[in-house]
Amino acid sequence: MDKLEWNKWMNENDIPPKEYTCGYCGHLIASNKGFFQQPNNGSTHSHLYICTNCGRPTFFYKGGAQFPGPLIGRNIKHLPNDVEQVYNEMRESMKSASYTAVLLLGRKLIMHLAVDIAKSPEKATFVEYIEHLKKSNYIPPQAESWLEFMRKQGGDKNHQ
């Protein structure tokens, strides 16, 4: 949907200004337009802000939790399309606390990297991909424990 469709909000109010990163378009914005929830006691409970860039709504629960939240991590330029797709899916999964999906996608990302940058043969085992990355000097020594954790946890989740 384009920006114009999303900007057709009816009866929006002036609400306390808030700076946040939009979970839809990723822009850091400040908005004072939106809606608020007011319980019977008169206090403000939650706010729904309208993004000044894309016009989509972001909900802030009492206490500050944001939905949808911003993507976790940063954009990386010049990635191969398959790697970029898996990386961005991981970021979306982190945003929604889908940690098993993040773990399995992380393994898939490592497999793509082993084939794309370390020229590992396709259809290898996960351990073989890691070994090929190590031999090609793409894994710093302090990252080996992370990969071992991903291997073990991902193997357990993948084979349940």
Side-chain angles (χ1 to χ4, degrees), residues 134 137-147:
K134 281 184 195 177
N137 294 318
Y138 282 105
I139 298 176
Q142 64 271 27
E144 289 186 34
S145 62
W146 302 344
L147 289 171

Side-chain angles (χ1 to χ4, degrees), residues 1-7 24 54-56:
M1 292 186 193
D2 65 27
K3 185 175 177 178
L4 293 176
E5 283 185 61
W6 279 97
N7 278 335
Y24 295 101
C54 70
R56 292 183 175 136

Side-chain angles (χ1 to χ4, degrees), residues 106-153:
R107 287 171 57 99
K108 183 172 176 61
L109 183 62
I110 288 166
M111 292 161 57
H112 276 282
L113 291 171
V115 171
D116 289 349
I117 66 169
K119 306 305 179 206
S120 176
E122 292 185 28
K123 300 191 188 224
T125 67
F126 187 71
V127 172
E128 290 169 334
Y129 287 128
I130 291 174
E131 288 304 316
H132 198 82
L133 286 166
K134 281 184 195 177
K135 288 178 191 169
S136 301
N137 294 318
Y138 282 105
I139 298 176
Q142 64 271 27
E144 289 186 34
S145 62
W146 302 344
L147 289 171
E148 180 58 24
F149 175 81
M150 287 180 69
R151 183 197 63 77
K152 183 171 179 352
Q153 292 295 313

